[in-house]
Amino acid sequence: MGLNSAMATVPTKEKGSDEIDFVRWFSQLEGNLAETLNGVLLRAARPVQVGAASGAQNLASTSAGRLVGWSLREATGTAPGVVRIWDGRDNGGALLACVNLGQGASETQWMAPGGVSFQHGLYVEIITGAGLSDDVEGAVYLGGAE
């Protein structure tokens, strides 16, 4: 069971003393650090590479967050591509979006500032087989701190 409040009185120059609620302060700090890059607060969306690009990953996030957009393209120009975006660490969660890409086509979708919340992580699945291209690349955009 967590603390509801942890108050402390600290001396200040202006008022003589001030009370600090450490639980509230820590909760705010934790929220602010939730979306940082090397300790710098990200106020805009954070791009995460997905698909065939070098260094890309299919598991874009391992925790809760907000999907605020994507930019994807089918890179071969010879077959259509299909991308599914799931709430979870694999394709067993709730389907958040399905993106159909024509041969050599691209799609960019922007849903900020709100976006779509996900609870369990964000998994990007590139559907292959049946004449579909597995050479899809791009990025999903995850919402930053507000």
Side-chain angles (χ1 to χ4, degrees):
M1 186 172 209
L3 291 173
N4 290 330
S5 180
M7 301 298 286
T9 302
V10 294
T12 61
K13 290 183 180 180
E14 293 82 29
K15 297 188 265 182
S17 67
D18 200 3
E19 283 193 344
I20 297 175
D21 183 343
F22 283 104
V23 172
R24 183 174 159 266
W25 174 80
F26 181 73
S27 294
Q28 181 65 42
L29 178 64
E30 184 177 41
N32 288 345
L33 292 177
E35 288 296 331
T36 63
L37 185 59
N38 295 329
V40 177
L41 179 64
L42 298 177
R43 296 194 183 274
R46 176 174 59 98
V48 177
Q49 286 189 340
V50 296
S54 175
Q57 53 192 343
N58 284 18
L59 187 57
S61 178
T62 58
S63 61
R66 291 180 299 122
L67 173 66
V68 295
W70 59 79
S71 182
L72 301 166
R73 79 177 185 111
E74 192 286 314
T76 67
T78 60
V82 175
V83 177
R84 291 185 184 143
I85 303 174
W86 300 89
D87 181 350
R89 294 175 179 237
D90 56 26
N91 62 0
L95 182 62
L96 300 177
C98 186
V99 183
N100 295 313
L101 300 168
Q103 299 172 346
S106 64
E107 179 180 317
T108 298
Q109 178 70 42
W110 186 246
M111 301 179 292
V116 177
S117 293
F118 54 89
Q119 297 176 344
H120 307 289
L122 191 74
Y123 183 77
V124 178
E125 176 185 26
I126 298 169
I127 308 299
T128 59
L132 295 175
S133 173
D134 63 353
D135 197 5
V136 174
E137 63 185 7
V140 293
Y141 306 127
L142 304 182
E146 294 184 354

